[in-house]
Amino acid sequence: MFCYAAAAIAAVFCIIYFFHRRLCCRYPLFTDYPIIGMLPALLCNLWRIHDFSVEVLKSHGGTGEFTGPWFTNMNYLITSDPINVHHILSKNFSNYVKGPEFREIFQAFGDGIFTADAETWKYNRDLFQSLFKNRSFEVFLEKTIRKKVQNSLLVVLDHVQQQGRVVDLQDVFNRFTFDNICSTVLGYDPNCLSLDFPEVAIEKAFNEIEESIFYRHVMPKRLWKLQRWLQIGREKTMTEACKSFDEFIHALIASKFEKLSKYNENKTGEACADLLTTVMREGKEQHDAGFLRDAVFNLFVAGRDTLTSALTWFFWLVATNPLVEAKILEEMNEKIGRNENTASILTIEEVKKLVYLHGAICETLRLFPSIPFERKQALEADVLPSGHGVNPRTMILFSLYAMGRFEEIWGEDCMELKPERWISQKGGIVYVPSYKFVAFNAGPRTCLGKELSFLQMKIVAAAILRNYHVQVVEGSVVTPNLSVVLLMKNGLKVKITKRET
């Protein structure tokens, strides 16, 4: 008798909870099944999640709700509506934060600028804004990247083309940007990009951390927390990867502390030092090893993986759109000249003249944003401009990938690579509101390194295109990887040939 009563109570409870979920989820993106929620649709399309998000959001007017299995709190409001994005990231900025759950998922980022809120975020932002806007840092950055392009990138590509072998261009950029960010942030060049393509444990650890963070978004919280406690699966991989990174960074921090304790600023003789040294000098008391570690990790993500992603997708798009490549070369010849020494690396002032190249990079970031989705949490109840209600603690995901593929935002030719859409009739760069083109975020959290990123990408792109023709290997399957950074799953296999002068 007791069993029947218990079963009846359980059935009533399930029915009540089922209707409660139906009432709470007013704009479902998929069928909401009892107990398992909308998880089946997500898991079945996980392998093509970015393109799947485009299809689903288009069929629901750009905004809808996802509910996970019961009692997992795996519920999101997902949007690609630029008016909603503008409201959340700018107009009502104070009501939408990263939040504690975000910091838990992105624990590897620590309390750095990407995960922090309130005063911690403001302090980090003010600190790095003062560093990035310093003219001496721009000079240091230009010198560092031009040296790396000249002495490593072009040397490796020249060696590859002489051998006539296939190379993974994404791997080349991974190594190049890792060396470059190490030199810029740490003042240390690990020489990952060399002729023998050495295996670099710390570079591999970075990729594993990002992939693990992505899976935390699509797995119930209790499940990945259990895996973390048991140290199995992705969570074990993430723990080991974080340990490798932390050992690498803390060793360098200790070395710099020792160096700075022996020599004061005036005795170093450096007009401009790497970012870590500069931060240590400017905050000798409040910047402990933990703060510095978190700052370094966040700078690595901002200045390494995003550039790798952008450059890889850029060269794939250019290689598969020969007319765009021809126009980039034509612009360089017209504005820079047919320098017989094409191996010379363009300066920042020279690449600023390359408007068509700028447009091609913007198109790349529109179609393949380095960070394909953004996440926020509401503090208080709100109503979005689209009419969708937001409850306190609602998790909101923006699909930046989908936004670049909406006809309502970019026109019927949105799937075309069209640098001209970024160029005015007078030949200048067209301004597009950041809430439409969210590749560098929008509102108060707009990326501080936006202009520096463009300059670095232009220097690298111009150096390669002036010297080499890049051809994608026939039969290559190009698909996005499942990670918080939009890299290619199988890399970008290409053949390099010397360009005739």
Side-chain angles (χ1 to χ4, degrees), residues 273-302:
D274 58 83
L275 283 173
L276 179 58
T277 300
T278 305
V279 171
M280 292 170 74
R281 287 174 180 167
E282 293 195 2
K284 296 175 183 175
E285 295 181 1
Q286 68 268 40
H287 297 160
D288 59 15
F291 175 90
L292 295 171
R293 179 266 173 210
D294 293 345
V296 167
F297 189 94
N298 282 256
L299 287 169
F300 265 54
V301 173

Side-chain angles (χ1 to χ4, degrees), residues 3-27:
C3 292
Y4 287 117
I9 292 172
V12 170
F13 176 77
C14 287
I15 291 171
I16 292 173
Y17 189 76
F18 176 75
F19 282 105
H20 169 72
R21 279 173 63 98
R22 286 299 178 101
L23 185 64
C24 293
C25 185
R26 291 164 290 177
Y27 313 101

